[in-house]
Amino acid sequence: MDFKETIQFIQEKFKSKDFIPLHNPIFEGNERKYVMDTLDSTFVSSVGRYVDRAEEMISQISQTQRAIAVVNGTAGIQVALRLVGVNPGDEVLTQALTFVATANAIQYNGAQPVFLDVDYDTMGLSPRAVSEFLEEFGERRETGTFNRKTGKRIAACIPMHTFGFPVHLDELMKLCRDWNIPLIEDAAESLGSEYRGKPTGSFGKVGVFSFNGNKIVTSGGGGMIVTQEEEIGILGKHLTTTAKVPHAYEYFHDQMGYNFRMPNLNAALLCAQLEQLSYFLDRKRRLAAEYSTFFESQGIIFRKELENTKANYWLMCVELGSLEDRNFFLEKTNGKKVMTRPIWQLMYRLPMYDHCQRDAQTNAEFLEQRIVNIPSSVTQEYQLVNSK
Ligand SMILES: *Cc1c(COP(=O)(O)O)cnc(C)c1O
């Protein structure tokens, strides 16, 4: 099999024999109008109404109390960890099968990741792996749960909803409650995804979205911290805006804050994109359905949302039979300018994380060798329908 039909199918869907990217943004709504508006008003930087509006829109979309716009998703995760009390010397439970930002954000806080396996079905942090780790190494003390092996405090748990497929949240939340470990959702990839009818990002103590150029909606660069807790929201805003104490003219900062505020220029773009989110979701789900039927006819596994969940199908993916099949698929498709990419290399293969504690990683290594992302943009024919 040389994947000729697959290449042809993708070229037809995207109406192109030229380069077909994994995910390109489309600007068919109010993007120009809102961005021009910031220029006309001169409010392009850290003050402006689009920042407030984008925060309100995300708070509504994610069904959370408060949303805080930040410069990017990575910065959002960095602050989210601090907001739940992660301190230098602590440890944070996460998956090795993730984009590097999740692990970096932990390390930015002077903490260390502990890499636990993912589930085969969700490709996200496995409740079974977390439970087994805590049973073996967890020690309950008054000040929290500690790792018996390292003596360090386990200060947070941060699952990531891989490609927009929600993790098993009920089970993870129960474990985190039982062990008194705050849960943060790395929802960078899952804006618009749902678990049991509720948006991802709304389950953890804090959630984080990304609006990087390749995500489902983009602000050029940007992110959002969301939370259900009013005090965390207030502190989050404070920390991401240099921790300045409001005063008519004095500069007094009561802690080490960050200059992580999203510029109004980016927020303007984000507002226009968010207005089209449900439309984007619709079209991506339609493409996913078509891919599903097609790949089934080819005997290739196309990854679909699980029961009780709704995936945003940010990046769609297929599961090949082996590493050799995967490499052959990558070679053939990219050779014909159909962009496909393997899933990330596991975090402990990277030099800065190779010494971190981890479990057996059976599913993570299985998926690492087989999962490939395929072109997932809102397709051209749908764009034309939308353009006014
Ligand atoms: C995109 C992404 C981020 C970081 O987002 P940026 O806005 O690019 O900093 C974090 N985690 C995951 C899993 C991501 O995919």
Side-chain angles (χ1 to χ4, degrees):
M1 193 158 67
D2 56 7
F3 303 112
K4 219 186 219 144
E5 286 97 341
T6 298
I7 291 162
Q8 220 166 29
F9 181 82
I10 294 174
Q11 285 173 335
E12 270 166 31
K13 281 295 134 201
F14 290 90
K15 299 198 183 319
S16 170
K17 296 228 160 168
D18 294 330
F19 176 69
I20 301 171
L22 271 194
H23 203 285
N24 61 307
I26 62 166
F27 303 119
E28 302 281 337
N30 289 317
E31 285 86 353
R32 279 160 194 81
K33 185 166 164 241
Y34 294 170
V35 169
M36 287 308 290
D37 185 39
T38 67
L39 299 181
D40 292 340
S41 71
T42 76
F43 285 102
V44 294
S45 190
S46 56
V47 176
R49 64 193 176 98
Y50 287 108
V51 173
D52 300 332
R53 195 151 127 198
E55 288 177 344
E56 277 161 30
M57 289 176 87
I58 284 291
S59 164
Q60 192 177 27
I61 290 166
S62 65
Q63 293 173 29
T64 53
Q65 282 301 315
R66 185 78 164 86
I68 300 139
V70 290
V71 284
N72 57 56
T74 311
I77 301 169
Q78 181 184 342
V79 176
L81 289 158
R82 184 164 155 195
L83 286 172
V84 305
V86 173
N87 287 313
D90 286 338
E91 289 180 343
V92 176
L93 307 181
T94 192
Q95 59 207 63
L97 188 71
T98 185
F99 177 58
V100 70
T102 321
N104 284 346
I106 293 168
Q107 197 109 307
Y108 295 157
N109 280 284
Q112 261 208 29
V114 172
F115 297 118
L116 302 179
D117 203 6
V118 294
D119 282 318
Y120 168 77
D121 57 358
T122 66
M123 300 185 283
L125 190 63
S126 164
R128 178 201 43 80
V130 172
S131 168
E132 284 176 10
F133 173 84
L134 289 170
E135 288 303 328
E136 185 173 358
F137 296 106
E139 187 186 310
R140 290 185 174 90
R141 295 191 206 158
E142 235 161 74
T143 45
T145 293
F146 284 72
N147 181 344
R148 223 173 269 154
K149 185 173 173 187
T150 60
K152 293 182 174 190
R153 190 172 71 109
I154 299 165
C157 173
I158 176 163
M160 193 277 284
H161 304 294
T162 302
F163 306 139
F165 296 107
V167 297
H168 293 296
L169 277 162
D170 279 348
E171 293 81 354
L172 283 173
M173 286 191 301
K174 179 170 190 317
L175 279 164
C176 284
R177 255 197 319 272
D178 289 353
W179 287 89
N180 193 21
I181 298 170
L183 181 90
I184 297 173
E185 291 174 81
D186 181 346
E189 306 185 351
S190 67
L191 181 69
S193 296
E194 291 175 7
Y195 179 82
R196 296 195 195 283
K198 275 182 60 190
T200 57
S202 68
F203 292 86
K205 206 171 169 72
V206 184
V208 181
F209 298 110
S210 164
F211 313 114
N212 192 33
N214 62 347
K215 295 299 200 301
I216 188 160
V217 299
T218 185
S219 57
M224 202 75 76
I225 299 169
V226 292
T227 181
Q228 305 288 14
E229 297 179 34
E230 191 61 31
E231 309 90 88
I232 290 185
I234 292 165
L235 182 60
K237 193 68 180 180
H238 186 61
L239 283 178
T240 54
T241 54
T242 73
K244 184 179 181 292
V245 177
H247 189 280
Y249 43 82
E250 290 287 0
Y251 290 98
F252 182 74
H253 308 260
D254 62 359
Q255 22 184 338
M256 184 194 71
Y258 312 90
N259 177 19
F260 281 171
R261 187 167 179 151
M262 179 190 287
N264 201 42
L265 189 58
N266 299 84
L269 187 58
L270 180 58
C271 288
Q273 288 266 286
L274 287 174
E275 288 172 354
Q276 301 163 84
L277 176 62
S278 59
Y279 166 77
F280 290 171
L281 287 167
D282 261 19
R283 298 307 166 187
K284 286 169 77 72
R285 292 178 68 76
R286 196 146 114 184
L287 177 63
E290 289 171 346
Y291 266 146
S292 176
T293 310
F294 170 76
F295 282 112
E296 199 169 314
S297 78
Q298 299 292 301
I300 297 172
I301 297 173
F302 174 77
R303 285 297 193 128
K304 285 189 282 191
E305 65 195 7
L306 301 177
E307 222 180 298
N308 294 319
T309 74
K310 187 175 164 190
N312 67 357
Y313 286 104
W314 167 54
L315 283 191
M316 304 182 206
C317 58
V318 289
E319 179 184 325
L320 281 306
S322 66
L323 182 62
E324 292 70 40
D325 278 5
R326 182 204 84 158
N327 290 343
F328 192 58
F329 184 88
L330 286 166
E331 195 183 307
K332 289 291 163 195
T333 48
N334 286 293
K336 290 282 186 216
K337 296 186 287 186
V338 171
M339 183 171 174
T340 60
R341 287 289 179 270
I343 198 166
W344 315 279
Q345 291 193 34
L346 301 177
M347 287 303 107
Y348 51 84
R349 307 210 192 279
L350 310 181
M352 57 288 193
Y353 299 117
D354 61 0
H355 61 287
C356 294
Q357 188 178 355
R358 63 176 196 259
D359 62 8
Q361 303 288 325
T362 316
N363 293 325
E365 292 187 357
F366 181 93
L367 295 167
E368 181 189 33
Q369 299 194 351
R370 290 168 178 81
I371 296 290
V372 176
N373 291 123
I374 56 179
S376 310
S377 312
V378 171
T379 53
Q380 193 65 35
E381 73 184 299
Y382 305 139
Q383 280 181 51
L384 291 176
V385 171
N386 186 42
S387 61
K388 294 172 197 104

